[in-house]
Amino acid sequence: MWTAHLGHVYVLTRLLVAHCTMMRGCEQRVRLRDVSPRWRPTSLAVNADSVTKRGRKLPLREQRSCTLPTATCRGGEPILVAGAALHVFLQRFPGGADDDFVFGRISDGVMDASKYLAAPAFMSRVVRLARAAGADVGGEYAFTAQGLRLGGRTDWRVHGMSNEWMRRQGGWKGDSEAGYDQPLEHHKAVEA
């Protein structure tokens, strides 16, 4: 992450954070003031600035505080998690004012933090990068903002998190999050 191309750092960090916090596409409008602590992120205020396509705030979605894991090893093996990735990201894209977007518009490795890169445009970029890397983007691993929410919910459950914790992390009311549990073959292997 410290030496990777800035465009790749941006994509990877945004994917990890959205997956970890089970963000809806519209919830990816995170501002620097929503990251705490900024020097070593461990939590993120999600839905503090979420808006619809028509520019209106989503009134039914309450702001929630999400946990970002920061461990960089598991069982002696290095891993990359959302909090650690966001830490590096904020060092490489420092931003400035509290009102700046964490995931601003990026072009040629330069980010304009005053403008937000909408989730559909971001996911189009992810699909292009995945195709260039040889991934089958139309098969089992479809890349959508909703897929990050589904995958996050399923991954957290497979790795032992409680339904109550997942509801808080993902911003669900009631037990509607159970419908987001859609295990793939690798999830079944972990459970076995």
Side-chain angles (χ1 to χ4, degrees), residues 76-110:
E77 294 295 318
I79 58 171
L80 181 59
V81 293
L86 189 56
H87 169 69
V88 174
F89 177 87
L90 292 173
Q91 301 302 307
R92 296 197 64 193
F93 291 108
D98 282 351
D99 283 341
D100 282 353
F101 290 106
V102 172
F103 301 117
R105 288 191 185 164
I106 185 167
S107 179
D108 298 322
V110 177

Side-chain angles (χ1 to χ4, degrees), residues 10-168:
Y10 179 97
V11 167
L12 184 58
T13 302
R14 188 164 172 176
L15 286 171
L16 284 168
V17 169
H19 177 268
C20 168
T21 60
M22 298 171 273
M23 287 179 178
R24 297 165 181 89
C26 64
E27 292 176 333
Q28 295 177 19
R29 291 175 57 96
V30 178
R31 297 195 187 257
L32 284 172
R33 68 173 166 255
D34 300 327
V35 177
S36 64
R38 197 182 292 183
W39 61 273
R40 190 66 147 173
T42 56
S43 69
L44 190 67
V46 174
N47 202 37
D49 188 29
S50 297
V51 294
T52 65
K53 289 181 182 177
R54 295 192 177 107
R56 294 180 300 209
K57 178 95 169 64
L58 294 173
L60 300 178
R61 308 278 190 257
E62 296 173 6
Q63 179 176 326
R64 63 186 188 273
S65 180
C66 295
T67 302
L68 299 175
T70 57
T72 54
C73 329
R74 181 175 47 214
E77 294 295 318
I79 58 171
L80 181 59
V81 293
L86 189 56
H87 169 69
V88 174
F89 177 87
L90 292 173
Q91 301 302 307
R92 296 197 64 193
F93 291 108
D98 282 351
D99 283 341
D100 282 353
F101 290 106
V102 172
F103 301 117
R105 288 191 185 164
I106 185 167
S107 179
D108 298 322
V110 177
M111 187 171 69
D112 180 355
S114 68
K115 297 180 179 161
Y116 170 66
L117 179 63
F122 170 68
M123 293 312 294
S124 292
R125 183 170 291 181
V126 170
V127 168
R128 281 194 311 274
L129 287 171
R131 278 194 183 118
D136 176 15
V137 297
E140 182 179 17
Y141 298 105
F143 294 104
T144 65
Q146 185 68 6
L148 294 170
R149 190 161 169 77
L150 291 166
R153 165 58 170 87
T154 304
D155 285 346
W156 283 121
R157 185 199 48 83
V158 167
H159 290 286
M161 299 310 288
S162 72
N163 286 334
E164 180 182 320
W165 184 88
M166 288 184 288
R167 282 184 199 118
R168 280 193 315 271

